[in-house]
């Protein structure tokens, strides 16, 4: 078993999309965003810097999995954690009917919800 996630809530009438994402070395990935339904991923190559609202940032290496509940939860990071190699992952996302698969979160909302973000790592 690679991943076991619970609880999972899939919007009624949801559709699913599976995509392969490839980040070049050091690519920061998608800006802060959210999905209308849950997403499940598998890192094929490299390492993903992953951060969900309320959870500490972590690095998921090749062979590792991730999931997020979707809905209101902000996905802060999903970029390449490696400065010298590319990263590839496959992700299946559930999309609520009539809603976009991915919605970017604006700066104003990030500021309002800053208290929900886990403390940032220090260098």
């Amino acid at each position: 078993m690679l991943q076991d996630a619970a609880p999972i809530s899939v919007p009624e009438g949801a559709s699913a999309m599976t995509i392969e994402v490839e980040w070049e070395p050091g690519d920061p990935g998608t800006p802060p965003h959210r999905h209308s339904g849950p997403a499940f991923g598998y890192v094929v190559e490299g390492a993903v810097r992953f951060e969900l609202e309320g959870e500490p940032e972590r690095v998921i290496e090749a062979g590792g999995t991730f999931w997020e509940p979707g809905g209101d939860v902000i996905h802060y990071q999903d970029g390449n954690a490696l400065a010298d190699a590319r990263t590839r992952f496959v992700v299946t996302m559930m999309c609520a009917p009539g809603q976009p698969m991915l919605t970017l979160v604006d700066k104003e909302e990030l500021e309002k919800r800053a208290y929900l973000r886990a403390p940032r790592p220090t260098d």
Side-chain angles (χ1 to χ4, degrees), residues 18-21 40-44 66 88-92:
T18 300
I19 62 171
E20 181 179 22
V21 178
F40 304 86
Y42 176 79
V43 180
V44 176
F66 59 87
R88 289 186 310 122
F89 62 93
V90 174
V91 61
T92 298

Side-chain angles (χ1 to χ4, degrees), residues 21-90:
V21 178
E22 184 173 318
W23 299 124
E24 292 302 319
D27 191 319
T30 308
H33 61 278
R34 62 174 48 98
H35 298 281
S36 60
F40 304 86
Y42 176 79
V43 180
V44 176
E45 174 184 3
V48 173
R49 186 170 311 284
F50 190 83
E51 181 189 2
L52 290 179
E53 188 170 66
E55 297 180 8
E57 173 185 308
R58 66 187 194 271
V59 173
I60 304 163
E61 297 181 350
T65 64
F66 59 87
W67 89 280
E68 59 185 282
D72 192 45
V73 176
I74 295 175
H75 185 169
Y76 287 98
Q77 296 186 66
D78 66 359
N80 189 344
L82 305 175
D84 59 352
R86 71 181 179 167
T87 288
R88 289 186 310 122
F89 62 93
V90 174

